[in-house]
Structure formats: structure tokens, C-alpha cells
């Protein structure tokens, strides 16, 4: 079968090539065919539009009556925002930096509706950047937290939990500093410190390296707070609750497994940290039975040398053995442009058992033909199950064919791509082609905490209003949710169970929304 | 043949679809194939890279020995700029606004080399924005030029040539004002007035409408200077010389045919204006015999009502009859988002004889699924010979297939797209896919005068360094030049003659450059 396919493909390409030559040699006469009548023209036009729409992500789905009611309401809201923006795109949320438009976005009726829709899973998020800033601020109210330094702009304070004052000059109890500054001012300082948000993002983050430096610094700043075992536990649990409240019912999170510690001086092993995740996930499902679950992808930094990397591989194998189901596989994190190329790790990666799956970040770059977008080739050749970002895929037609044919899912993170300076205007995001041509994609949120976004709804909004066509409707949102389960690392049985859970939520929500809309009760 | 092709295509699609379903249903087991050995992996990788490179624009071309020498020099320069930029993209010319990097660009050795390479034709440029600002400033030294208003920022002065002082308050002779202000200061004011250049483009042009307003205002400002018959004539002739000096040997220019006038009060008819172009083109070819020639595309504004539009059609028909060879066809100009949709003109356009070819601007927009990118559908259905800009094509996979199969050429204008706010960073320009997959494209310059660019070299530089892959080499530049002749509106005989002229220039230049490079004489 495969060979027949290949030979057909070959024939097809040859024929196209011949066709091209013939046409090129023949462009001397009038190029147009005989002009059709207006009636024929309109028929042809309708045909093209329909043919185009049949290729959209979600175009195969048939909407129920409830869904049709919800859809026409959603499309009314979407169309209104787009028509308004069309008059002056400076007023259009996805044409601008999210930081400049966050208030407008949060008060958008369409956004509020998207929040209510069951969105399936988040398949691309980093464990210490998934919870709202409030969760982190709350954590700083725990006793025994110390800080070194106040809030001078160049050197952010360092934090640590400790029973006694840490060694060295300058340590003060957070509770004391907060009292001095008043909680209101202090917490506002923390809020600025714990994210990338600024009122003037255009002039604050002039280059990709500037924003990435601050971004990577953030993980260091919050590390000693979040890595404190009681916080680690609660931050994860509370984050799940935030996902749940945002109508996200399953999560595959990436993590570096940092040095989690407690007041006794104990440093938790990678296995113990993952065990915490397993326990808290169980506890959460127990409390919220329609939550589907979570898995973990071990994703250490791409900066270490070969020795460091072999250390990661050792941890990976141990985790794989101890948590064959919860630990889904492996990835590498950190700015791809400045980090090591995937190619350098290939010899070690090829030695891994096939049961360890890959979920590589690749092509998270503006560069073309450099080592960073070459990561796409290696990710695919290594058999990656999904591609993190794949922003540069659009420049690789051969790889585009490959991911479509092999159904390698691309995890699109719209807001992350804007904040981290890959794209300025959502309408230029390359995922537009993926939505237009039903590529295997999911929309995800990467590090929503750092840009004051909800677990998924802000990204869904940007994908739906900014990246997708004005014609893309509820079917696209539904297909994205379906994809997020289909392309998860769950096994067949779990996937079927997850689909049933999600479908039941979806149908229930559609019924409620349709009823509210029909009664005019939807605010 | 066509039916065989279609049925093969159909079969192929069906098989792909089946394949997709099977894989989707089967993602429960390990996704990867058995991991290969490192040797096999490296072979596979090499295969993918070669297969990818065989699809590049120009990949079919075989380089001569001279070309190989030039190529390795060019690639050394290109690689150096890219490697430097890779360290910090804020320093990389195509990652920034051209206005911020114009000095650095102008002193780039690679740019200076590109200037020397015979680039074929410019197929997309607007007649009153093709010459350098110096040509306009020189024109203001002619006698009988009056101005109303000085250089207050909000209301630019109005100009007019007139034997006597024009009616109304405030008119002064330009020569008098220039004397008062000193020529140096006065001409610097004009230089600012006659273009979009500013040191701080990011904060000056915050939205597309702001920059388009200024852009369209520019045509109004320079109109009364350039529309003065002696200037009209000379501006065109001198612009041809600038194109020629930039190694551009053929031009298809679009024009609105404004009211050209002279000191006797005569208003020139469209036919008389075109006659000036014909005469000056002849004169230029007489003086520079290796210049190939020019054609004209009548392209009035897309804003008029049906009556106005029928007036344009009348002019078009008359021009077509009087200049069947020089007047190549029809287009419409002005901001697509704010102008009328092509669809509205279809009934009239379908009535035109097939011998009038279309060269429609379409998809010069960030919007998706709105009336502006729908212009792409109408342009193609109307049988457009080329597409102006086609920036939104990337969101229309069906149309992408169509332009490739029917070899409808896309005229890419990189710098115009940046200055007019479609794309911020050249590395995000959708033409990357076109270069990657050998789409029928040319690179052009639109309105180089307004951004202080050369007739074509600045755009070639941005396409080659900013949009294309680091791997794209001299073959791409050569193919772009070949395409510019192949996709021109010339007939078969003229095209063959043009190709011979261009090839002779190309080979001569390659010989000179190769010799200079070998001797180390290339600065």
C-alpha cells in the first residue's frame, strides 16, 4: 500500500512538473480562459469557497441543534469584534500586544463565553508557570520565608524558606518587610516581579534576547518559593483547580524537576517530586471526579554538556521505570536559539527504549536554515509524538507533508509566541495555515502565569479571533478540544474514557448555553 | 491528461485521508518506529536535507565555474551576517525596521554585491514612486514652482507650477522660500516631506491606517510636482536610469494616469500621458541599448463608485486599442482593506476582451476570511496573470495549489510590506514558503522612493538575507531574475530576446565578479 501511495505521489508530482513547464512556455498568449458569464462566475466562486471551507480544521463535524444555537451566538460576537477591528486594526485585540489589550480582552463577551466551553486538555505547559500569580503571592504568606534585597529594578530579591535566618548579610523575614511596606504595596511589587507584564511591552522588550533573559530569570526568582515542598504540592493542586475552572480537564505538563526542599533540609529526589504530582493528581480527581487526569514529561534544560545530559537520561530511565504511566516521556527546554541543537543529543537519544516517547520543542524560532529550525528535522526523525511550537514549520514544505501524513501534532502556544517575540500580530501567526488545512494541532498556553493569562481561554481566544479565519466557527473549537485528547499521551482505553468524560461535559455545556441564549439569559 | 491528473490527485488524497484515520486510531502504542542505528539515522537525515533542498527556488539551476566562485563569496558574506545576527537578532538587519538599519544595510558588502548583479525586471512598481527623492528635489529647482504653506508638521505645503501667482492667499515662489531658508535646510525639509522615512518608525507608525494615510497623502503631495509635463517626462526617464544603474533592465509599471498639465494650462489625456512613456522608453533604449524595455499597467484607485469605475474601463479600452503592446493590462490600487472589494467590479470586468490582461493587487492584508483576502479568490477566478503582494495567500491552501499549478506569479514586495505594517520582521514574511517550495514568484519594490530604497537591490537583499533560508544561494537570485522575465507581460518573441539580453549581462557580470574575487580585488 505504502509503495502504491508513493508511486502515485511520484506520478502526480511528475505530472505537475510537466504541467508547469507547459504553462510557462505558453504564457505568451492571453493568460485567461474565455471569460465566463456572471452566472457561471458566481457558481465557480461559490464552488471555490465551499471547497476551501471543507478543508478547515473541524469542517467534518456536524453540529447538533444546541451547538447550532451556540455557534450562531459565538459567530455574532466574533463577527462584531472583527468588523469593529477591520475599521481600525489598532483597536483589534489580536493585532496588538496582549499586555496593551488585557483589560479589553478580559471584558470581551466572546472571551467570557470561551471560558465556559469545555476545551479538553492542555498538552504544552511548564509546571512552575501554570498557576496564577495569586497562587505564588499566597505562598509568600507562609511562615519562614526570607528575602534578601528589596525591589531594586536591576537585582530582584532572592527568597528562601528556612527555620532560621539564612547565612550571609541582608536576609529579612518576608512578613517583616511586608509589614513595613504595607501588604498592598508589597504584593503589587511581587505581582510585577513574578511575571513579564508591563504596560509598555513594545519599548520594554525590544529584542528576543531581552525578553528571554527576563523570562528565564523568572524561573530562578520564583524557584526557591515554589520548590518548597508544601508550596510545590499546593501550587500544583491549586493550579489544577484553576485549569478545571477554565474548563480544562486534562493536563500534560513538562518539568525540569528542580531541587525541591523542606525545612528539615531534605532535598527531594526526582522520583519523590514526581510522586508528589501523582498523589496530588489522585487527590484532585477524588475531589473533582470529572477531571480526567495528568501526565508528566521530563524536560530538563538543553544547555548542559554531555555529562550533564547523561545525568538527565539516567533520571529519565528511572522515572520511566517507576512511573510508566504518569511519566509520558522526554523533552528539552530553554531558548532554542541559544541552546544546544537536538542533533547533538541524537546518539544518546537513539539508545533509549522505544517505550519512552518524545515531545520535543522544535522550531521555536524566527530563523530559517539555521541550527534551530533544523531541530524540526531531528525531532521528526527521532519519532517525536508531538512538536512543541513548530513555529518555523511553515518554511519546511517537506516537513509539513510529513507531520500531516504521520499525524505528528503541533502544540501551538499563541500568546507565548507573541510575548517571547516570535510574532507581533496574531494575524501573522503561521498556525493560520494549520487551521486552514486541518493539520494535526492543539492550542496550548506554555506559561500562562507569566503573562497573566488563564490556563487556556486567553490562548483559545487569540487562536479563534486572531489566527483563524473570520469563517472558522464552533467546529474549530470543538475539533481543538477533540485533538487535545486524541493527541495526548494517554493509551487507547484511557483516551476513550477521556473522550466520554469530555463529550458529556461538552454536551451538557452546549445544552445550558443554548438554553441561556434562547431565553436571552446569557450575559 | 487533465482528467488523468485529477483522478490521480483524487486517489492520492483519498489514500492520505485513510492513512490519517488509521494512524489516529493507532496512537496508543509507542509512536516511533524501531529506533535506527546512528549510521542509519545520519543517512536518513542527509536524505531529508537533500530532498528539502531540491525543492528550493532555483534548485534546478546548475552553476557555471564563474558562478560557483561568485556563489561561494556571496554565501561567505551571507553566512557572516546571519551568524552575527544569530547571536543577537537585534543587530540583524532584516529583524528590524529598515529605517532603523538603513545605514548598516547600505554599507553591507553583501548588499553592495547584490547591487552589481543583473536582477532582470521589476514587475511591480508605481510610476510616481519609483525614482529617488533626489529626482523630486531636483524637479523643485525648475522655475515657476509655487508653494502654499511652509513645513508645519500637520499640513504639508501644497505645490503647483504656474506662470503667474496662483489664485488665493499664501502662495510663494519656491525659489524665494528656498533662498530664505537656505537650500540645505529647505531641501532637507523636502526630503522628509517626500517619503515615509523617520528615525523612530516603531512609535511614529503605530497602526496600519496611520502609515497608509501618510502613504496615500504622499502621492497627493508630490502629485502637482510630478504631474507637470516636463517633470513627468524627466522623472520617468531618470528613474529608468536609476533602475538601469541598479542592474534592472526591464520594468512593468502601474499608474493611475493623473491630470498631467503644463504652463499653457493644457491637461493631458490618458493617451497623451502614455504616449510620453512610450517616447521616453524609446529614447532610453536608444541611449542604453542593453535596456530591454517597459510596459504599463493601467491601475486606477479602487475607491470610486460604479460610474467612476466605468470611466476607468472606458480609458482602459481606449489605451488597449491605441497601445496594444505597451499597455499590458489592468489593476486597481489603494489600501485594499479600506477600498472596494474586487468582487464588486466583477460584472464590468467580465465584459472586457480577453486580450486585456489582469494584474490584480490582492491579499495585501493581515486579515483572514474578510473581504480583503477574498480578493485573492476573485483575482484568480478572473484569470489574473500575476498577483500583487498576495500576502494573505499563505492562509489559503487551495489557492496556493492553484497558483502553483496555473503558474500565477506572486509579486512580493518585502520592504513595502514592512513599511506599510503587514509584517514587522522579514523572517516572518510568508514568502519564505514560496522560496522553499519553488512557487512562481518575483521580488519587486512597489514604491522604493518612499522608503529611500534603490529600485530593487534593497528588496533583493531583504528577500535573500531576511526571508530566504540561510542555505538559499546564488541560484535563488538567478531564478528570481529569470522569473522576472518569464512572468512578464512580454510576448514569446520579446521574452526570448529579453532572456538573451539578460543572460549576456549576467554571464558578463559573473565573469567580472569571479575574476575580481579570484584576484582579491572585490572590495
Amino acid at each position: 500500500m505504502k509503495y502504491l501511495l508513493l508511486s502515485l505521489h511520484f506520478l502526480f508530482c511528475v505530472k505537475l512538473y510537466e504541467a508547469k513547464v507547459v504553462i510557462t512556455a505558453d504564457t505568451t498568449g492571453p493568460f485567461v480562459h474565455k471569460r465566463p458569464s456572471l452566472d457561471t462566475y458566481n457558481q465557480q466562486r461559490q464552488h471555490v469557497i465551499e471547497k476551501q471551507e471543507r478543508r478547515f480544521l473541524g469542517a467534518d463535524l456536524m453540529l447538533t441543534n444546541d451547538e447550532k444555537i451556540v455557534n450562531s451566538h459565538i459567530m455574532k460576537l466574533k463577527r462584531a469584534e472583527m468588523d469593529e477591528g477591520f475599521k481600525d486594526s489598532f483597536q483589534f485585540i489580536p493585532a496588538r500586544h496582549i499586555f496593551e489589550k488585557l483589560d479589553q480582552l478580559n471584558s470581551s463577551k466572546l472571551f467570557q463565553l470561551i471560558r465556559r466551553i469545555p476545551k479538553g486538555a492542555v498538552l504544552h505547559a511548564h509546571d512552575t508557570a501554570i498557576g496564577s500569580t495569586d497562587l505564588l503571592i499566597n505562598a509568600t504568606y507562609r511562615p519562614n520565608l526570607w528575602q534578601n534585597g528589596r525591589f531594586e529594578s536591576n537585582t530582584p530579591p532572592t527568597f528562601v524558606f528556612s527555620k532560621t535566618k539564612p547565612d550571609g548579610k541582608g536576609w529579612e523575614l518576608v512578613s517583616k518587610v511586608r509589614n513595613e511596606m504595607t501588604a498592598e504595596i508589597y504584593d503589587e511589587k511581587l505581582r510585577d516581579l513574578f511575571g513579564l507584564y508591563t504596560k509598555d511591552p513594545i519599548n520594554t522588550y525590544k529584542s528576543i534576547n531581552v525578553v528571554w533573559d527576563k523570562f528565564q530569570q523568572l524561573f530562578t526568582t520564583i524557584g526557591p518559593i515554589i520548590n518548597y515542598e508544601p508550596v510545590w504540592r499546593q501550587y500544583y493542586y491549586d493550579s489544577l483547580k484553576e485549569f478545571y475552572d477554565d474548563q480544562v480537564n486534562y493536563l500534560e505538563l513538562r518539568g525540569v524537576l528542580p531541587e525541591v526542599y523542606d525545612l528539615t533540609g531534605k532535598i527531594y529526589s526526582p522520583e519523590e517530586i514526581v510522586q508528589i504530582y501523582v498523589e496530588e493528581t489522585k487527590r484532585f480527581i477524588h475531589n473533582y471526579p470529572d477531571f480526567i487526569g495528568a501526565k508528566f514529561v521530563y524536560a530538563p534544560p538543553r544547555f548542559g554538556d554531555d555529562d550533564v545530559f547523561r545525568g538527565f537520561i539516567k533520571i529519565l530511565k528511572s522515572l520511566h521505570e517507576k512511573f510508566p504511566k504518569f511519566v509520558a516521556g522526554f523533552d528539552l527546554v530553554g531558548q532554542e536559539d541559544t541552546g544546544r541543537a537536538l542533533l547533538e543529543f541524537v546518539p544518546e537519544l537513539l539508545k533509549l527504549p522505544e517505550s519512552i516517547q518524545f515531545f520535543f520543542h522544535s522550531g521555536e524560532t524566527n530563523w530559517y536554515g539555521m541550527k534551530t529550525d533544523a531541530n524540526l528535522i531531528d525531532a521528526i526523525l527521532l519519532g517525536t509524538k508531538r512538536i512543541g511550537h513548530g513555529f518555523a514549520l511553515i518554511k519546511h514544505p517537506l516537513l509539513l507533508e510529513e507531520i500531516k501524513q504521520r499525524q505528528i501534532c503541533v502544540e501551538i502556544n499563541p500568546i507565548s509566541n507573541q510575548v517571547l517575540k516570535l510574532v507581533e500580530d496574531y494575524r501573522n501567526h503561521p498556525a493560520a495555515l494549520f487551521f486552514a488545512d486541518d493539520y494535526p494541532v492543539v492550542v496550548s498556553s506554555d506559561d500562562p502565569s507569566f503573562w497573566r493569562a488563564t490556563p487556556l481561554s486567553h490562548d483559545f481566544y487569540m487562536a479563534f479571533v486572531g489566527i483563524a479565519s473570520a469563517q472558522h466557527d464552533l467546529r474549530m473549537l470543538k475539533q481543538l478540544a477533540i485533538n487535545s485528547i486524541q493527541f495526548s499521551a494517554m493509551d487507547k482505553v484511557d483516551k476513550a474514557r477521556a473522550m466520554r468524560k469530555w463529550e458529556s461535559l461538552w454536551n451538557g455545556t452546549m445544552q445550558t448555553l443554548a438554553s441561556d441564549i434562547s431565553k436571552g439569559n446569557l450575559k
Side-chain angles (χ1 to χ4, degrees), chain A:
Chain A
M1 181 59 237
K2 200 177 157 193
Y3 290 105
L4 174 60
L5 213 105
L6 276 173
S7 63
L8 279 172
H9 188 189
F10 181 67
L11 256 173
F12 182 59
C13 295
V14 168
K15 290 310 163 201
L16 252 188
Y17 185 70
E18 278 177 15
K20 169 186 160 180
V21 172
V22 172
I23 292 174
T24 310
D26 198 37
T27 40
T28 50
F31 183 79
V32 295
H33 311 292
K34 194 168 158 42
R35 303 208 198 281
S37 71
L38 188 55
D39 272 358
T40 309
Y41 182 91
N42 285 331
Q43 280 165 25
Q44 286 173 346
R45 191 175 198 274
Q46 195 49 36
H47 178 68
V48 167
I49 288 169
E50 281 167 16
K51 211 168 154 190
Q52 186 165 269
E53 287 182 358
R54 277 202 298 276
R55 292 169 76 146
F56 283 177
L57 181 77
D60 293 344
L61 297 172
M62 301 288 285
L63 297 183
T64 64
N65 281 339
D66 283 343
E67 288 171 335
K68 279 179 190 161
I69 293 167
V70 176
N71 190 37
S72 64
H73 187 72
I74 281 190
M75 291 311 279
K76 204 177 69 190
L77 296 176
K78 175 169 171 172
R79 194 72 214 193
E81 287 198 24
M82 293 191 79
D83 285 344
E84 199 53 37
F86 191 72
K87 285 184 221 151
D88 177 8
S89 59
F90 199 63
Q91 309 305 328
F92 186 58
I93 296 169
R96 303 283 300 283
H97 196 289
I98 186 175
F99 294 165
E100 298 175 314
K101 287 287 183 182
L102 202 49
D103 292 339
Q104 190 181 334
L105 202 175
N106 290 337
S107 63
S108 149
K109 278 183 187 163
L110 176 54
F111 170 71
Q112 284 153 10
L113 191 54
I114 286 173
R115 286 219 65 176
R116 292 181 63 182
I117 291 176
K119 286 169 282 290
V122 159
L123 298 185
H124 186 119
H126 297 274
D127 57 358
T128 57
I130 54 174
S132 66
T133 310
D134 283 339
L135 297 186
L136 284 176
I137 293 176
N138 290 345
T140 66
Y141 277 86
R142 285 176 180 267
N144 302 308
L145 180 60
W146 301 78
Q147 74 179 78
N148 198 333
R150 293 279 172 113
F151 295 93
E152 295 84 15
S153 63
N154 286 331
T155 46
T158 317
F159 297 91
V160 72
F161 282 96
S162 173
K163 259 197 277 203
T164 56
K165 188 174 180 177
D167 290 344
K169 279 203 307 189
W171 288 103
E172 309 171 272
L173 271 171
V174 164
S175 55
K176 179 181 148 266
V177 182
R178 180 179 269 125
N179 263 336
E180 278 178 37
M181 293 175 63
T182 77
E184 200 184 352
I185 291 173
Y186 186 85
D187 291 355
E188 209 40 49
K189 291 275 179 198
L190 284 189
R191 196 173 298 279
D192 285 343
L193 192 65
F194 291 162
L196 291 169
Y197 180 86
T198 154
K199 277 196 161 66
D200 184 10
I202 307 302
N203 292 297
T204 307
Y205 303 121
K206 282 193 177 284
S207 87
I208 193 166
N209 288 3
V210 167
V211 72
W212 264 93
D213 284 351
K214 173 115 193 247
F215 174 65
Q216 292 183 149
Q217 175 60 40
L218 268 178
F219 288 98
T220 313
T221 303
I222 65 170
I225 298 168
I226 215 167
N227 299 348
Y228 177 50
E229 195 268 352
V231 174
W232 186 266
R233 215 173 254 286
Q234 193 181 350
Y235 179 85
Y236 176 65
Y237 185 93
D238 290 348
S239 295
L240 288 186
K241 180 62 168 56
E242 291 180 343
F243 276 63
Y244 181 80
D245 289 341
D246 198 39
Q247 299 290 331
V248 175
N249 287 66
Y250 176 78
L251 171 64
E252 292 187 358
L253 78 167
R254 286 156 161 101
V256 299
L257 299 180
E259 296 204 329
V260 171
Y261 68 102
D262 64 22
L263 292 181
T264 70
K266 173 178 173 178
I267 302 291
Y268 288 67
S269 70
E271 293 77 6
E272 286 171 317
I273 302 171
V274 172
Q275 183 58 38
I276 295 173
Y277 279 152
V278 171
E279 286 164 19
E280 294 301 314
T281 307
K282 264 195 195 144
R283 190 160 73 90
F284 191 83
I285 295 173
H286 178 80
N287 294 339
Y288 301 92
D290 52 355
F291 190 75
I292 294 164
K295 284 188 192 295
F296 181 79
V297 172
Y298 177 46
R302 60 188 323 119
F303 300 102
D305 63 21
D306 287 351
D307 273 352
V308 171
F309 184 71
R310 275 189 288 269
F312 295 152
I313 292 293
K314 215 174 136 188
I315 293 170
L316 171 66
K317 284 177 173 167
S318 159
L319 292 174
H320 178 57
E321 202 173 303
K322 292 208 177 67
F323 308 94
K325 210 161 161 162
F326 185 74
V327 174
F330 187 66
D331 184 15
L332 289 159
V333 298
Q335 191 180 357
E336 262 184 271
D337 288 341
T338 56
R340 293 181 73 190
L342 203 45
L343 179 63
E344 300 182 48
F345 304 116
V346 163
E348 289 297 326
L349 292 169
L350 287 177
K351 292 180 199 159
L352 287 173
E354 288 168 52
S355 51
I356 295 178
Q357 297 191 98
F358 297 139
F359 302 85
F360 289 121
H361 276 75
S362 50
E364 187 185 4
T365 186
N366 289 119
W367 291 101
Y368 178 23
M370 307 293 272
K371 69 171 180 124
T372 322
D373 60 312
N375 283 343
L376 287 165
I377 296 175
D378 291 293
I380 292 171
L381 281 174
L382 284 165
T384 198
K385 183 172 166 57
R386 297 195 302 261
I387 289 173
H389 296 287
F391 191 86
L393 269 170
I394 196 102
K395 297 162 180 173
H396 295 268
L398 183 72
L399 304 185
L400 286 175
E401 289 163 10
E402 204 64 18
I403 60 163
K404 211 172 192 188
Q405 195 166 351
R406 289 165 62 179
Q407 290 285 293
I408 300 170
C409 175
V410 185
E411 303 158 348
I412 301 159
N413 302 285
I415 298 174
S416 167
N417 294 157
Q418 185 192 48
V419 174
L420 297 178
K421 300 282 286 180
L422 285 187
V423 64
E424 194 197 26
D425 183 326
Y426 291 91
R427 296 172 302 161
N428 280 340
H429 196 291
L433 177 65
F434 302 161
F435 297 154
D437 212 15
D438 191 22
Y439 275 77
V441 290
V442 292
V443 168
S444 204
S445 53
D446 210 6
D447 310 277
S449 173
F450 295 167
W451 27 90
R452 302 193 178 178
T454 48
L456 189 54
S457 292
H458 283 86
D459 282 281
F460 253 56
Y461 175 90
M462 290 302 190
F464 187 56
V465 185
I467 305 178
S469 164
Q471 319 299 327
H472 278 121
D473 61 13
L474 182 66
R475 292 171 299 166
M476 169 184 162
L477 299 178
K478 189 175 184 183
Q479 188 67 53
L480 283 176
I482 293 170
N483 283 359
S484 75
I485 292 167
Q486 286 300 335
F487 293 112
S488 75
M490 284 184 275
D491 65 26
K492 208 182 228 171
V493 176
D494 285 352
K495 230 179 244 181
R497 203 172 45 89
M499 273 305 288
R500 281 196 300 275
K501 273 197 183 186
W502 170 81
E503 265 179 348
S504 146
L505 283 171
W506 174 272
N507 292 334
T509 304
M510 289 301 132
Q511 201 174 12
T512 311
L513 287 174
S515 156
D516 285 357
I517 291 163
S518 302
K519 289 182 199 146
N521 283 347
L522 200 74
K523 284 205 189 103

